[in-house]
Amino acid sequence: MRAPTRRDSFPRPGLERSLMARRKKIYEGKAKILYEGPEPGTIVQYFKDDATAFNAEKKDVIDGKGVLNNRLSEFFMTGLNQIGVPTHFIRRLNMREQLVRNCEIVPLEVIVRNYAAGTMSKRLGIAEGTQLPRPIVEYCYKDDALGDPLVTEEHIAAFGWASQQDMDDILSLALRVNDFMSGMMLAVGIRLVDFKIEIGRVFDGDFQRLIVADEISPDSCRLWDIETGQKLDKDVFRRDLGSLTDAYSEVARRLGVLPKSNVAKPTLIN
Ligand code: TYD
């Protein structure tokens, strides 16, 4: 581990944004901006500090969220790559950016649930925190204007969003990510209640493969402290439960992504 340098000082979005202005922006979403990558088939993913909830009805800028999510997503995606779950992640470039493989995003939010919470609790009247008999995988159609409606495999097949073979692969990827993430979290005293992933298609010649894309971070997971039940995820923002940066820093600290001594204002380690 090297000593922190000025480049690591927390955070410098203004300067970084001006350096990035020369690059071609491909897409700006709620929490990330995508730029053309340095080589064909690559993309630069920039993590913003913007937080949104309830389909962007609630918005705020949370100092340092982008830096934490960049590091946490790097951590999870690297681990997944190491156990043979393919992801789009290539390498982290700096505090807010990572280089990823360009892929065609399957228009589904793939949700895996281990405990009832959020919309599942509301829809089915199951108390939040109830352990499910087995992990349950749900699919939502990615369309903000429609509020990402829940769909079944029948819709997915009928509208051609993914083939039956794709669905088999997506289910197996989702369950492998769930096992990996559940284990990583359990090891640091955190319960993985649920999470969302997105899946990308990459083409090697005529051959198509599905990989985990987008991000894996406390923005897209529900994470509860096993002992206290304290929420360490985006529900802190959705439900006004305190400092989101503190919650995400705590996750990063427990996983060893941040040094133990520095919780609130992260000085990042390599
Ligand atoms: P869910 O309970 O369906 O929705 P909400 O977060 O609105 O209560 O979400 C399940 C998990 O998936 C939760 O950890 C948040 C995540 N998720 C996203 O990150 N983005 C999405 O668009 C959706 C639908 C879920």
Side-chain angles (χ1 to χ4, degrees), residues 24 40-41 51-52 54 58 65 83 87 90 104 109 124-125 129 155 189 199 206 211 223 266:
K24 187 168 170 218
T52 63
F54 312 119
K58 182 177 164 97
K65 180 176 85 84
I83 63 160
T87 81
I90 301 172
E104 191 182 284
E109 313 263 2
L124 301 179
H155 299 98
I199 301 292
D206 286 344
I211 61 178
L223 304 171

Side-chain angles (χ1 to χ4, degrees), residues 30 53-55 109-113 116-123 128 138-144 147-150 192-198 214-215 217-223 233-235 238-239:
K30 287 176 285 206
F54 312 119
N55 210 8
E109 313 263 2
V110 180
I111 294 171
V112 184
R113 300 178 185 273
T119 55
M120 173 182 248
S121 288
K122 283 200 203 92
R123 246 189 344 260
E128 284 213 317
E138 295 178 347
Y139 306 98
C140 293
Y141 179 53
K142 251 173 83 68
D143 186 320
D144 282 343
D148 296 337
L150 188 67
L192 178 66
V193 173
D194 59 29
F195 66 94
K196 181 260 318 185
I197 51 170
E198 295 188 21
D214 190 49
E215 73 179 291
S217 74
D219 267 8
S220 52
C221 300
R222 280 199 172 89
L223 304 171
D233 55 56
K234 209 166 89 176
D235 276 345
R238 290 189 193 92
R239 304 179 188 188

Side-chain angles (χ1 to χ4, degrees), residues 89-107:
F89 182 82
I90 301 172
R91 68 174 179 276
R92 185 170 59 84
L93 296 172
N94 55 47
M95 285 181 76
R96 286 176 182 273
E97 294 179 327
Q98 48 184 243
L99 188 67
V100 300
R101 272 194 81 165
N102 190 9
C103 53
E104 191 182 284
I105 296 287
V106 176

Side-chain angles (χ1 to χ4, degrees), residues 112-179:
V112 184
R113 300 178 185 273
N114 299 306
Y115 295 81
T119 55
M120 173 182 248
S121 288
K122 283 200 203 92
R123 246 189 344 260
L124 301 179
I126 306 174
E128 284 213 317
T130 307
Q131 185 165 17
L132 300 171
R134 56 173 216 193
I136 295 179
V137 183
E138 295 178 347
Y139 306 98
C140 293
Y141 179 53
K142 251 173 83 68
D143 186 320
D144 282 343
L146 299 175
D148 296 337
L150 188 67
V151 291
T152 68
E153 290 195 44
E154 286 287 293
H155 299 98
I156 296 166
F159 297 124
W161 298 324
S163 67
Q164 190 52 56
Q165 178 62 55
D166 290 341
M167 291 312 292
D168 293 347
D169 294 348
I170 290 172
L171 180 65
S172 125
L173 281 174
L175 292 175
R176 289 196 70 194
V177 173
N178 186 42
D179 284 347

